[in-house]
Amino acid sequence: MEKKLGSGFKLLALSILCLILTFFGISPIYAASSSQTIAVKVVFEIEDKVVPNSNINEDSEEFLKADYTTKIVAADGSSETQALIDKSGAKLVLMSGALRNPLTFSGVATDAYDFSAAIPALLNQYYIEYDASKTGGKTLSYWYEDERQPQDGVDFSANTPAFINNSNASSLSNSEQNALIAQTENYIQECLAYRLPANTSGHDAVFGTTGQTYGSWLIFTAARAGYTPHSGFAEECIAAFEEKYSQSGKLDSSGQPLNEGFDANEVAKDVLAITAIGYDARDVGGYNLIEMLTNGKNPSEGYFVDQVSQLALSSANYLPDRDLSYIHELAANALSGSVSHSDPLIDMYVMEFQPIAAYYDPNAKSGDEFYDVKQAMETVLLPYFSRIQGYTGLFYSGIDYNNAWSNAQSFIMLGMSGVNLFDEDYIKNGYSMFDLLPDKTLSFSADEGQIARGYEALVRSYKGENQLFDCRDVASTVPITTAILSLPDADAINSANKATVEAQIAEIDALNTKTALSNAQKSTIDWAAYTAAVEKVKTVADEDPADDDPADETPTVTFSVEKFSLGQGYYMEPVEVAIESGDTGITLLNRVMGEGSLLWKSNYLVGIYGAQEGTVSVPEAISNMPSHPDFGPAPTTESALSEGLIDAGRLSEKDYSPMSGWMYSVNNDFPGYGFDGYTPKDGDVIRVQFTLWGYGADLGEDFEGGMAPINTANKTELTRLLGEINSSGKKAVYLQDSDFKSAYEAALTMMQNFEATAKSVNEAVENLKASIPAVDDQESVSCTYRTHVQNVGWQNWVSDGAMSGTSGQGLRLEGIEIKLDTLADLGIRYKTHVQNIGWQDWVSNGNMSGTEGLSYRLEAIQIELTGADADKYDVYYQVHAQNVGWMGWAKNGGQSGTAGFGYRLEGIHIVVVPKGQAAPGSTNNAFISQ
């Protein structure tokens, strides 16, 4: 029955076709099923398209149509069959009506354009006409008659023509550029006036009206372009947003706003609109939209919710310390060609990676946090934009030319990138992306301001203004609210923090004075915490130093950096480090190790500059660990060396093994969060350790789904004891005692033993404690110093042997300040040898030696103690010099560094010890000259 029905339909279709053709005076020929047939195909000869040097046809629908000829040829290629076909006069004939789906170039320059995917839709509008009396009784067989789709190589073939730009790619003059920008600015205003008329209320803009959506994207675009439908529009919008969230009815059990159950994609767009009009998205009718984007309780199935959320969170720097690993993930995906969708339109591809453009720095260098973004932008994305830019400066969408959606998203990302929009890479046939502005009435469905937003991004880039999504140029309530939120609770304000709180209050007052806020904006600020702090400060007496309890001690942690998995011992032996107010793991590491010595990726420690030095010797305990299904056998010394370093200037993740990197433990526990999530507590023992195999399994870390770990002993107490000794100021004296020296060296060996038992570690602790000799107490001296570093400026102060400066980055020291903290009658003076100047005069006690703002390198230094007690102490200092590395320790005014080579100093250690105490290290090669 089905075959008959199908045959009936076929006969009906052919009958209709016959009637149509008869009406036009054409007699089609059909093959008889019993006759011999000749299989034919259509050969297309498509002409190259060359863009003329002048009078370019800007009607892309016409200009981009391909010119071609067709010929019917024998599928078998025989000359005899071809002679019959030619004799029959076989040709293509359009069935009826106007031609649809013509062959059209993309508008993008190419040496070989492939039309094979477009030809079937074209051929389905044709049949083949021929004179059957001249084919020797045979009929022609082709796709339409066989009721199938034309197939490339079977039913047709085509050449691949070129689309060639002309030679006009020169940059435009400044006056020409300015004229195009002015024209574009006018267009943006006209477009927005058309899309958001003067009579549109803020309520309608937020909620929409019958037949008109408007929406947050349009509000955001208008605000960023400085377009206001009428006075009071922003106030109407914020009131509508408050109504929108309040009427959701989402409340917790106590009746307070509940930041859950919203659509995150919509929330992110609302954040952008609210921020752009100068209000704080953390309090919208009591709802916190920023929390909604970060608490994981507001799912969305909308496109690119993660990307839009990133743009929203950064719009006013709402979360300055947030994890930016997502940006690095996007950069990695761009470099690897990975996308989350299969849509062919370029606006979908562009929106996938758009957020990384805000972090693009063309001057980024290897080791910088966003060097991966630079690589992604310059090797993938920016060349992509230049490649898909078509013959009139606009973009190919992936389906058609000059698609306004694709243009808009391309404009946005290029504007965010800050590239030169009039560079020759973005000029095609003399056209820039500003030359052909679309009709302002062009429909954009629910996102009507999209094209205006794209052009606004370009204009902002050209004029050097804040990027489109960076709304910190808006007169906003956000900075004031952020400052208020940073105030401590009134109950926590006391004499110790009174001065700090007063400074915070003064900052809030200054912001309130200098920020041009409307009364409506000011009315949305919650001043309760500010008012409470102001009132509490009035009742708190100033701190009286005499009331301090001398027994109170500064809280400290014990800190070490270990490379035991490489057989290289400590990079930094355990030391006691004072905890400062507001410290996190990140601030602590930066202060101890020296600003610029660490490579961070958000809150994740990627590498340590200078820590790559040393001979690799993988411990046998690690080499005997199990293999990994993806990475193979555990590393040996030989395999680790074959893997080598990714960057010769630092020790980083994936060095020597694909599973390596830096981890940290606190009191023998590995926290499951980044360094910024750790708050140091008095007495903590923090060990920063390099893992070589198993993402910490070699360090004893047992995590779900991970490899079986080595059963390592708890070495917290041994580390703490080593830190006490190293920070006592008496270590060198202790080491002169043979029993202590033997116990101390045994303790270091025990720390590096991966298979040490708990019993042997405890014995090492007891032996070391028992061996500490009694020595005369002497007034302690703390030496504090900081350096001015190329491209960094003044670093934070460090003390007592910690490094100031950098190692492995090639950055020069330009200045130094040194001071002492002691009750002894002791001072310190120092002088430096400066490029183009020579030895400067002595300076003392915290004053600067060197230069600032001249970019002159320090090449050598002398330091000595002064005062009545100077004969009771020694000052030792060691520098890191260009092309030399760490040199020997100099002492009491001796020269440290180089002379005559032009080598820069890059880092320095300084320590003051009791007189006669052994040097912290070798004193050989402290100074060299030629």
Side-chain angles (χ1 to χ4, degrees):
M1 174 67 84
E2 289 179 357
K3 288 185 177 180
K4 291 181 180 179
L5 184 62
S7 299
F9 276 127
K10 177 178 178 181
L11 290 172
L12 177 60
L14 294 176
S15 297
I16 293 172
L17 175 61
C18 185
L19 288 172
I20 293 172
L21 296 179
T22 301
F23 177 79
F24 285 99
I26 301 172
S27 297
I29 304 299
Y30 303 112
S33 58
S34 61
S35 302
Q36 285 186 307
T37 60
I38 299 173
V40 300
K41 67 178 180 179
V42 181
V43 175
F44 284 80
E45 186 63 35
I46 308 171
E47 296 180 13
D48 291 344
K49 181 79 71 172
V50 181
V51 179
N53 283 309
S54 60
N55 299 320
I56 295 176
N57 183 350
E58 295 166 5
D59 183 349
S60 60
E61 290 187 6
E62 288 301 318
F63 180 77
L64 295 178
K65 288 180 181 178
D67 297 317
Y68 56 87
T69 59
T70 60
K71 183 178 180 180
I72 310 299
V73 302
D76 63 8
S78 71
S79 58
E80 294 83 0
T81 306
Q82 186 64 49
L84 289 175
I85 294 173
D86 292 343
K87 187 176 180 180
S88 74
K91 63 181 179 180
L92 290 180
V93 177
L94 186 64
M95 289 182 182
S96 65
L99 177 66
R100 304 179 308 279
N101 303 317
L103 299 186
T104 304
F105 284 96
S106 67
V108 176
T110 178
D111 292 332
Y113 193 89
D114 185 0
F115 281 101
S116 59
I119 287 176
L122 174 73
L123 283 180
N124 277 330
Q125 302 173 72
Y126 288 89
Y127 67 93
I128 295 177
E129 184 181 68
Y130 64 98
D131 186 345
S133 67
K134 298 180 180 180
T135 59
K138 297 182 179 181
T139 59
L140 304 189
S141 173
Y142 52 94
W143 73 96
Y144 183 80
E145 189 198 40
D146 294 342
E147 297 182 326
R148 58 182 174 79
Q149 288 293 314
Q151 298 179 30
D152 185 15
V154 175
D155 302 301
F156 69 89
S157 64
N159 63 313
T160 53
F163 188 93
I164 304 170
N165 286 333
N166 63 47
S167 60
N168 187 1
S170 59
S171 297
L172 304 177
S173 67
N174 287 337
S175 61
E176 290 173 320
Q177 294 178 22
N178 291 333
L180 286 171
I181 294 298
Q183 170 184 298
T184 304
E185 289 182 291
N186 289 335
Y187 168 80
I188 293 170
Q189 296 299 309
E190 291 171 1
C191 186
L192 290 170
Y194 178 83
R195 293 294 173 193
L196 201 59
N199 61 353
T200 307
S201 70
H203 185 277
D204 288 346
V206 172
F207 286 98
T209 61
T210 302
Q212 183 62 57
T213 306
Y214 300 115
S216 289
W217 272 132
L218 189 55
I219 297 170
F220 169 80
T221 304
R224 296 308 284 148
Y227 170 76
T228 304
H230 56 263
S231 177
F233 178 75
E235 289 78 3
E236 295 169 3
C237 286
I238 194 61
F241 279 119
E242 290 175 346
E243 178 185 346
K244 173 181 177 178
Y245 284 91
S246 297
Q247 74 178 13
S248 70
K250 297 182 187 298
L251 304 172
D252 62 18
S253 57
S254 63
Q256 296 301 308
L258 184 65
N259 300 312
E260 300 176 12
F262 295 89
D263 185 294
N265 201 352
E266 184 177 353
V267 170
K269 296 172 188 177
D270 289 348
V271 168
L272 286 166
I274 290 165
T275 306
I277 61 176
Y279 290 86
D280 196 313
R282 290 171 292 192
D283 184 1
V284 182
Y287 290 84
N288 188 332
L289 275 59
I290 301 304
E291 181 184 334
M292 292 179 191
L293 295 180
T294 55
N295 63 12
K297 299 178 180 180
N298 297 276
S300 175
E301 295 181 358
Y303 278 120
F304 306 120
V305 61
D306 292 334
Q307 287 85 342
V308 181
S309 295
Q310 286 289 328
L311 298 174
L313 293 174
S314 63
S315 62
N317 201 24
Y318 282 109
L319 301 174
D321 297 323
R322 76 182 191 278
D323 181 6
L324 292 175
S325 59
Y326 180 65
I327 299 298
H328 299 290
E329 178 185 330
L330 288 181
N333 289 344
L335 287 166
S336 66
S338 173
V339 292
S340 63
H341 60 86
S342 58
D343 198 300
L345 292 175
I346 71 163
D347 52 90
M348 301 294 283
Y349 176 75
V350 172
M351 286 189 284
E352 176 100 7
F353 300 109
Q354 219 166 54
I356 72 171
Y359 299 89
Y360 171 50
D361 176 6
N363 298 315
K365 298 179 178 62
S366 178
D368 292 346
E369 181 178 4
F370 294 109
Y371 181 67
D372 55 345
V373 171
K374 171 185 166 73
Q375 290 178 302
M377 291 295 293
E378 294 183 354
T379 63
V380 178
L381 295 163
L382 292 178
Y384 170 77
F385 284 119
S386 181
R387 189 169 62 251
I388 65 169
Q389 188 183 23
Y391 77 108
T392 60
L394 299 175
F395 293 90
Y396 175 59
S397 74
I399 296 178
D400 56 4
Y401 183 67
N402 189 13
N403 178 292
W405 286 66
S406 297
N407 285 332
Q409 294 304 325
S410 299
F411 294 166
I412 289 171
M413 190 165 186
L414 283 168
M416 292 172 65
S417 303
V419 298
N420 178 4
L421 302 170
F422 291 102
D423 185 89
E424 290 186 6
D425 285 343
Y426 304 110
I427 302 291
K428 301 296 187 290
N429 305 303
Y431 281 82
S432 74
M433 60 192 82
F434 295 95
D435 281 275
L436 300 179
L437 302 175
D439 189 327
K440 68 182 180 183
T441 65
L442 191 64
S443 173
F444 282 89
S445 184
D447 189 1
E448 296 176 332
Q450 185 169 185
I451 194 66
R453 186 161 66 255
Y455 281 116
E456 177 64 21
L458 296 181
V459 168
R460 284 180 165 272
S461 177
Y462 180 81
K463 297 173 71 173
E465 298 174 346
N466 279 36
Q467 293 177 359
L468 178 70
F469 295 106
D470 182 0
C471 298
R472 288 175 293 178
D473 54 351
V474 175
S476 172
T477 64
V478 173
I480 295 176
T481 299
T482 299
I484 292 173
L485 291 173
S486 70
L487 288 167
D489 292 338
D491 293 342
I493 299 174
N494 52 41
S495 59
N497 64 9
K498 177 183 177 181
T500 300
V501 175
E502 287 177 326
Q504 290 176 285
I505 291 172
E507 178 190 1
I508 295 169
D509 292 339
L511 284 171
N512 193 30
T513 299
K514 72 180 184 181
T515 308
L517 299 180
S518 67
N519 290 332
Q521 286 176 295
K522 290 181 179 180
S523 69
T524 64
I525 299 174
D526 184 353
W527 295 94
Y530 168 84
T531 302
V534 170
E535 293 303 315
K536 182 61 182 289
V537 163
K538 293 177 182 177
T539 67
V540 175
D542 291 331
E543 186 174 17
D544 184 357
D547 292 337
D548 289 345
D549 183 355
D552 289 343
E553 296 183 356
T554 301
T556 62
V557 297
T558 302
F559 177 87
S560 67
V561 181
E562 305 168 5
K563 302 192 293 177
F564 301 159
S565 63
L566 299 176
Q568 295 179 350
Y570 282 107
Y571 181 63
M572 177 178 286
E573 288 194 18
V575 292
E576 291 183 339
V577 181
I579 302 172
E580 297 182 0
S581 176
D583 258 345
T584 66
I586 288 179
T587 61
L588 185 69
L589 259 69
N590 281 335
R591 187 169 67 253
V592 176
M593 302 295 292
E595 292 283 350
S597 298
L598 308 175
L599 174 62
W600 294 99
K601 183 182 290 185
S602 187
N603 62 352
Y604 171 60
L605 179 61
V606 176
I608 299 179
Y609 291 98
Q612 78 285 354
E613 297 174 356
T615 301
V616 174
S617 179
V618 176
E620 186 175 344
I622 295 179
S623 297
N624 290 336
M625 290 182 70
S627 297
H628 187 275
D630 295 326
F631 302 120
T636 62
T637 298
E638 182 179 3
S639 69
L641 290 173
S642 67
E643 288 279 346
L645 293 166
I646 295 174
D647 188 305
R650 64 174 187 259
L651 182 59
S652 306
E653 60 179 355
K654 296 184 173 57
D655 284 345
Y656 301 118
S657 160
M659 304 175 75
S660 71
W662 290 100
M663 300 180 67
Y664 77 105
S665 64
V666 180
N667 304 328
N668 206 48
D669 177 62
F670 288 87
Y673 43 78
F675 280 90
D676 64 342
Y678 164 62
T679 302
K681 297 184 292 297
D682 189 28
D684 280 351
V685 174
I686 307 162
R687 298 170 61 194
V688 178
Q689 305 172 65
F690 190 78
T691 172
L692 183 64
W693 190 243
Y695 300 122
D698 54 349
L699 307 179
E701 170 65 345
D702 187 6
F703 58 93
E704 185 177 353
M707 298 178 63
I710 294 177
N711 186 21
T712 57
N714 187 337
K715 300 173 182 176
T716 300
E717 290 307 314
L718 184 54
T719 303
R720 192 193 315 276
L721 180 56
L722 290 169
E724 290 176 1
I725 292 169
N726 290 336
S727 302
S728 67
K730 303 174 183 179
K731 176 183 173 181
V733 177
Y734 292 162
L735 287 172
Q736 294 174 10
D737 183 279
S738 59
D739 290 339
F740 174 84
K741 183 176 181 181
S742 176
Y744 185 84
E745 291 175 349
L748 294 182
T749 300
M750 188 65 65
M751 284 297 305
Q752 299 175 59
N753 184 353
F754 283 83
E755 299 176 302
T757 64
K759 178 181 179 181
S760 62
V761 171
N762 290 335
E763 289 175 351
V765 171
E766 297 306 317
N767 290 339
L768 186 56
K769 284 181 179 178
S771 70
I772 298 176
V775 298
D776 294 336
D777 287 335
Q778 192 169 14
E779 176 63 42
S780 64
V781 178
S782 178
C783 180
T784 304
Y785 43 98
R786 66 174 183 167
T787 53
H788 190 281
V789 179
Q790 173 190 359
N791 297 337
V792 176
W794 285 107
Q795 293 187 320
N796 293 331
W797 292 93
V798 298
S799 302
D800 303 329
M803 186 185 75
S804 184
T806 64
S807 175
Q809 297 189 61
L811 301 179
R812 63 180 173 268
L813 299 188
E814 297 176 350
I816 189 168
E817 297 174 351
I818 311 172
K819 57 187 179 181
L820 301 180
D821 181 11
T822 179
L823 296 177
D825 186 355
L826 200 63
I828 193 164
R829 70 173 191 165
Y830 40 96
K831 65 177 180 177
T832 54
H833 190 281
V834 180
Q835 172 190 1
N836 297 335
I837 295 176
W839 285 105
Q840 293 186 320
D841 294 332
W842 292 96
V843 298
S844 60
N845 302 329
N847 290 305
M848 186 185 77
S849 182
T851 63
E852 186 175 359
L854 298 177
S855 299
Y856 290 168
R857 63 180 174 268
L858 302 188
E859 298 178 352
I861 189 170
Q862 294 175 259
I863 308 173
E864 63 183 27
L865 301 173
T866 62
D869 291 332
D871 60 346
K872 299 178 182 178
Y873 299 89
D874 293 319
V875 57
Y876 283 96
Y877 39 101
Q878 176 193 37
V879 298
H880 189 283
Q882 175 188 6
N883 297 332
V884 179
W886 286 107
M887 305 182 71
W889 289 85
K891 171 185 176 183
N892 296 341
Q895 293 180 340
S896 179
T898 69
F901 296 95
Y903 292 167
R904 61 182 173 265
L905 299 189
E906 298 177 356
I908 189 168
H909 301 289
I910 311 174
V911 63
V912 175
V913 300
K915 194 72 173 182
Q917 180 173 309
S922 172
T923 58
N924 295 329
N925 204 37
F927 180 79
I928 58 175
S929 62
Q930 67 174 14

